[in-house]
PDB file of all heavy atoms in Angstrom:
ATOM      1  N   ALA K 682      66.332 115.449 109.824  1.00 85.00           N
ATOM      2  CA  ALA K 682      67.214 114.282 109.936  1.00 85.00           C
ATOM      3  C   ALA K 682      67.196 113.796 111.376  1.00 85.00           C
ATOM      4  O   ALA K 682      67.263 114.582 112.306  1.00 85.00           O
ATOM      5  CB  ALA K 682      68.631 114.650 109.538  1.00 85.00           C
ATOM      6  N   ARG K 683      67.059 112.491 111.538  1.00 86.00           N
ATOM      7  CA  ARG K 683      67.085 111.931 112.888  1.00 86.00           C
ATOM      8  C   ARG K 683      68.486 111.436 113.184  1.00 86.00           C
ATOM      9  O   ARG K 683      69.358 111.466 112.322  1.00 86.00           O
ATOM     10  CB  ARG K 683      66.077 110.792 112.972  1.00 86.00           C
ATOM     11  CG  ARG K 683      64.655 111.295 112.890  1.00 86.00           C
ATOM     12  CD  ARG K 683      63.666 110.184 113.152  1.00 86.00           C
ATOM     13  NE  ARG K 683      63.894 109.525 114.423  1.00 86.00           N
ATOM     14  CZ  ARG K 683      63.349 109.931 115.577  1.00 86.00           C
ATOM     15  NH1 ARG K 683      62.573 110.976 115.598  1.00 86.00           N
ATOM     16  NH2 ARG K 683      63.580 109.269 116.684  1.00 86.00           N
ATOM     17  N   ASP K 684      68.690 110.974 114.391  1.00 90.00           N
ATOM     18  CA  ASP K 684      70.012 110.427 114.711  1.00 90.00           C
ATOM     19  C   ASP K 684      70.182 109.048 114.070  1.00 90.00           C
ATOM     20  O   ASP K 684      71.281 108.533 113.993  1.00 90.00           O
ATOM     21  CB  ASP K 684      70.204 110.335 116.228  1.00 90.00           C
ATOM     22  CG  ASP K 684      70.358 111.716 116.865  1.00 90.00           C
ATOM     23  OD1 ASP K 684      70.757 112.649 116.142  1.00 90.00           O
ATOM     24  OD2 ASP K 684      70.068 111.859 118.057  1.00 90.00           O
ATOM     25  N   TYR K 685      69.066 108.465 113.630  1.00 92.00           N
ATOM     26  CA  TYR K 685      69.090 107.126 113.012  1.00 92.00           C
ATOM     27  C   TYR K 685      69.994 107.136 111.786  1.00 92.00           C
ATOM     28  O   TYR K 685      69.719 107.847 110.815  1.00 92.00           O
ATOM     29  CB  TYR K 685      67.665 106.764 112.602  1.00 92.00           C
ATOM     30  CG  TYR K 685      67.467 105.365 112.058  1.00 92.00           C
ATOM     31  CD1 TYR K 685      68.292 104.319 112.422  1.00 92.00           C
ATOM     32  CD2 TYR K 685      66.415 105.104 111.182  1.00 92.00           C
ATOM     33  CE1 TYR K 685      68.092 103.035 111.932  1.00 92.00           C
ATOM     34  CE2 TYR K 685      66.188 103.818 110.691  1.00 92.00           C
ATOM     35  CZ  TYR K 685      67.042 102.790 111.077  1.00 92.00           C
ATOM     36  OH  TYR K 685      66.835 101.531 110.595  1.00 92.00           O
ATOM     37  N   ARG K 686      71.050 106.336 111.822  1.00 93.00           N
ATOM     38  CA  ARG K 686      71.962 106.302 110.690  1.00 93.00           C
ATOM     39  C   ARG K 686      72.879 105.098 110.788  1.00 93.00           C
ATOM     40  O   ARG K 686      73.041 104.512 111.853  1.00 93.00           O
ATOM     41  CB  ARG K 686      72.817 107.558 110.659  1.00 93.00           C
ATOM     42  CG  ARG K 686      73.553 107.832 111.972  1.00 93.00           C
ATOM     43  CD  ARG K 686      74.517 108.986 111.852  1.00 93.00           C
ATOM     44  NE  ARG K 686      73.885 110.168 111.335  1.00 93.00           N
ATOM     45  CZ  ARG K 686      74.346 110.842 110.282  1.00 93.00           C
ATOM     46  NH1 ARG K 686      75.422 110.450 109.659  1.00 93.00           N
ATOM     47  NH2 ARG K 686      73.727 111.919 109.874  1.00 93.00           N
ATOM     48  N   MET K 687      73.464 104.740 109.641  1.00 95.00           N
ATOM     49  CA  MET K 687      74.468 103.688 109.645  1.00 95.00           C
ATOM     50  C   MET K 687      75.741 104.294 109.081  1.00 95.00           C
ATOM     51  O   MET K 687      75.693 105.034 108.102  1.00 95.00           O
ATOM     52  CB  MET K 687      74.007 102.504 108.794  1.00 95.00           C
ATOM     53  CG  MET K 687      74.871 101.257 109.010  1.00 95.00           C
ATOM     54  SD  MET K 687      74.424  99.930 107.876  1.00 95.00           S
ATOM     55  CE  MET K 687      72.869  99.377 108.520  1.00 95.00           C
ATOM     56  N   MET K 688      76.862 104.009 109.741  1.00 95.00           N
ATOM     57  CA  MET K 688      78.124 104.631 109.334  1.00 95.00           C
ATOM     58  C   MET K 688      79.205 103.576 109.142  1.00 95.00           C
ATOM     59  O   MET K 688      79.143 102.503 109.739  1.00 95.00           O
ATOM     60  CB  MET K 688      78.593 105.602 110.423  1.00 95.00           C
ATOM     61  CG  MET K 688      77.683 106.780 110.631  1.00 95.00           C
ATOM     62  SD  MET K 688      78.229 107.779 112.022  1.00 95.00           S
ATOM     63  CE  MET K 688      77.542 106.874 113.384  1.00 95.00           C
ATOM     64  N   THR K 689      80.214 103.932 108.381  1.00 94.00           N
ATOM     65  CA  THR K 689      81.364 103.040 108.234  1.00 94.00           C
ATOM     66  C   THR K 689      82.261 103.218 109.455  1.00 94.00           C
ATOM     67  O   THR K 689      82.177 104.223 110.157  1.00 94.00           O
ATOM     68  CB  THR K 689      82.175 103.386 106.980  1.00 94.00           C
ATOM     69  OG1 THR K 689      82.613 104.742 107.117  1.00 94.00           O
ATOM     70  CG2 THR K 689      81.374 103.245 105.711  1.00 94.00           C
ATOM     71  N   ARG K 690      83.125 102.280 109.692  1.00 94.00           N
ATOM     72  CA  ARG K 690      84.074 102.333 110.792  1.00 94.00           C
ATOM     73  C   ARG K 690      84.896 103.636 110.745  1.00 94.00           C
ATOM     74  O   ARG K 690      85.117 104.292 111.748  1.00 94.00           O
ATOM     75  CB  ARG K 690      84.964 101.080 110.692  1.00 94.00           C
ATOM     76  CG  ARG K 690      86.168 100.998 111.541  1.00 94.00           C
ATOM     77  CD  ARG K 690      85.991 100.979 113.024  1.00 94.00           C
ATOM     78  NE  ARG K 690      84.780 100.528 113.639  1.00 94.00           N
ATOM     79  CZ  ARG K 690      84.422 100.897 114.882  1.00 94.00           C
ATOM     80  NH1 ARG K 690      85.156 101.704 115.580  1.00 94.00           N
ATOM     81  NH2 ARG K 690      83.315 100.465 115.400  1.00 94.00           N
ATOM     82  N   GLN K 691      85.293 104.004 109.522  1.00 94.00           N
ATOM     83  CA  GLN K 691      86.098 105.213 109.364  1.00 94.00           C
ATOM     84  C   GLN K 691      85.363 106.452 109.886  1.00 94.00           C
ATOM     85  O   GLN K 691      85.939 107.265 110.610  1.00 94.00           O
ATOM     86  CB  GLN K 691      86.392 105.390 107.874  1.00 94.00           C
ATOM     87  CG  GLN K 691      87.466 106.393 107.588  1.00 94.00           C
ATOM     88  CD  GLN K 691      87.602 106.657 106.093  1.00 94.00           C
ATOM     89  OE1 GLN K 691      86.692 106.351 105.306  1.00 94.00           O
ATOM     90  NE2 GLN K 691      88.734 107.194 105.703  1.00 94.00           N
ATOM     91  N   MET K 692      84.095 106.550 109.561  1.00 95.00           N
ATOM     92  CA  MET K 692      83.348 107.715 110.016  1.00 95.00           C
ATOM     93  C   MET K 692      83.099 107.655 111.525  1.00 95.00           C
ATOM     94  O   MET K 692      83.169 108.677 112.207  1.00 95.00           O
ATOM     95  CB  MET K 692      82.021 107.822 109.269  1.00 95.00           C
ATOM     96  CG  MET K 692      81.249 109.044 109.704  1.00 95.00           C
ATOM     97  SD  MET K 692      79.984 109.482 108.526  1.00 95.00           S
ATOM     98  CE  MET K 692      79.140 110.777 109.431  1.00 95.00           C
ATOM     99  N   VAL K 693      82.846 106.466 112.046  1.00 95.00           N
ATOM    100  CA  VAL K 693      82.636 106.320 113.495  1.00 95.00           C
ATOM    101  C   VAL K 693      83.890 106.794 114.233  1.00 95.00           C
ATOM    102  O   VAL K 693      83.812 107.530 115.220  1.00 95.00           O
ATOM    103  CB  VAL K 693      82.307 104.851 113.862  1.00 95.00           C
ATOM    104  CG1 VAL K 693      82.267 104.648 115.364  1.00 95.00           C
ATOM    105  CG2 VAL K 693      80.974 104.452 113.254  1.00 95.00           C
ATOM    106  N   ASN K 694      85.057 106.392 113.736  1.00 95.00           N
ATOM    107  CA  ASN K 694      86.296 106.825 114.387  1.00 95.00           C
ATOM    108  C   ASN K 694      86.442 108.341 114.352  1.00 95.00           C
ATOM    109  O   ASN K 694      86.920 108.944 115.305  1.00 95.00           O
ATOM    110  CB  ASN K 694      87.504 106.154 113.730  1.00 95.00           C
ATOM    111  CG  ASN K 694      87.562 104.668 114.060  1.00 95.00           C
ATOM    112  OD1 ASN K 694      86.891 104.215 114.986  1.00 95.00           O
ATOM    113  ND2 ASN K 694      88.332 103.920 113.312  1.00 95.00           N
TER     114      ASN K 694
END
Side-chain angles (χ1 to χ4, degrees):
R683 291 187 56 89
D684 289 337
Y685 185 27
R686 54 173 53 233
M687 193 186 287
M688 295 175 278
T689 59
R690 169 63 25 203
Q691 194 187 18
M692 181 162 172
V693 173
N694 289 344

